[in-house]
Amino acid sequence: MSKEDTYDYAYLLNEYTIEQFCSRYQFWYKQMLCFIKSAGLEERVRIDRRKLAYAVLSYYAGIYRLKEFHDIDKTNLAKVYGYEAYWMLRMSPLQLGDKVDDSILWVNEKFVVSVLISSLLNSIGISVCDSKDNLSLREFAELLCCRFKYRTYNPQSLELAIKGFMVGANARR
């Protein structure tokens, strides 16, 4: 590995605790295990722990830089979800085994959409079970998945989409 390919996240220890890193890592790892099991992908998908760790560290690095640049103390929920989703997609910690069919080629994108939708619903007090027949929600999930597969996105565009979802959901209540 060349010097350009290595990352130094030691500076983050001045801002965050090891427990914070571990907690976020464990959250995502557990979400991945549940997703893999519920989709019946145990034999075809594995979690690359190193990529997951880099996704978590990159999330914290991005939030750290954002806070420093804009001189803010706390990030809003849309920003947190946007940056988390971006880095999970960017690092793609769910890895496919050999000879998998096309239906699971986009496993990271589908995973992130499922966690994002679930987290958004939870944050506004709506049960995932209560929303299963919601056509607008399904269309939003499909649009996100399509965006993740074929279009460009960045943490800021994800934050905007998430904030729009939250505003719309709160307006309907």
Side-chain angles (χ1 to χ4, degrees):
M1 184 182 287
S2 71
K3 186 174 181 172
E4 294 84 33
D5 292 334
T6 61
Y7 304 97
D8 184 7
Y9 292 107
Y11 69 95
L12 293 175
L13 292 172
N14 295 326
E15 183 72 19
Y16 304 104
T17 65
I18 294 290
E19 290 78 20
Q20 287 174 291
F21 298 126
C22 291
S23 175
R24 191 151 314 242
Y25 179 96
Q26 289 170 347
F27 167 81
W28 282 102
Y29 188 80
K30 286 177 184 175
Q31 293 293 318
M32 288 176 187
L33 287 176
C34 287
F35 178 81
I36 290 168
K37 186 174 181 172
S38 69
L41 299 174
E42 295 96 327
E43 301 300 317
R44 300 183 291 166
V45 174
R46 70 174 181 81
I47 301 170
D48 185 318
R49 292 172 185 239
R50 180 178 285 168
K51 284 187 162 211
L52 175 57
Y54 275 122
V56 169
L57 290 170
S58 295
Y59 158 78
Y60 277 108
I63 293 296
Y64 174 83
R65 287 190 293 273
L66 182 75
K67 287 171 141 183
E68 287 291 305
F69 184 77
H70 292 291
D71 194 30
I72 56 176
D73 292 325
K74 214 160 167 45
T75 53
N76 63 52
L77 200 53
K79 208 176 289 304
V80 169
Y81 289 163
Y83 274 76
E84 280 185 324
Y86 176 80
W87 283 108
M88 284 300 143
L89 291 164
R90 177 82 186 223
M91 293 298 178
S92 298
L94 294 177
Q95 299 292 298
L96 302 175
D98 292 335
K99 299 178 184 173
V100 296
D101 52 281
D102 288 353
S103 66
I104 64 168
L105 288 180
W106 305 103
V107 68
N108 283 284
E109 290 77 4
K110 290 176 183 177
F111 165 71
V112 169
V113 167
S114 73
V115 172
L116 190 55
I117 296 290
S118 176
S119 297
L120 284 167
L121 292 173
N122 189 41
S123 73
I124 57 176
I126 298 174
S127 166
V128 174
C129 295
D130 294 341
S131 62
K132 287 210 185 281
D133 296 326
N134 186 322
L135 179 61
S136 296
L137 189 58
R138 272 200 317 274
E139 289 173 341
F140 179 64
E142 288 170 11
L143 182 63
L144 278 176
C145 203
C146 184
R147 167 68 53 177
F148 295 158
K149 290 182 202 176
Y150 305 115
R151 304 287 184 255
T152 59
Y153 55 87
N154 59 39
Q156 297 81 13
S157 66
L158 295 178
E159 177 188 357
L160 181 62
I162 291 163
K163 190 64 171 173
F165 176 89
M166 295 168 90
V167 167
N170 284 325
R172 295 184 79 187
R173 296 172 88 200

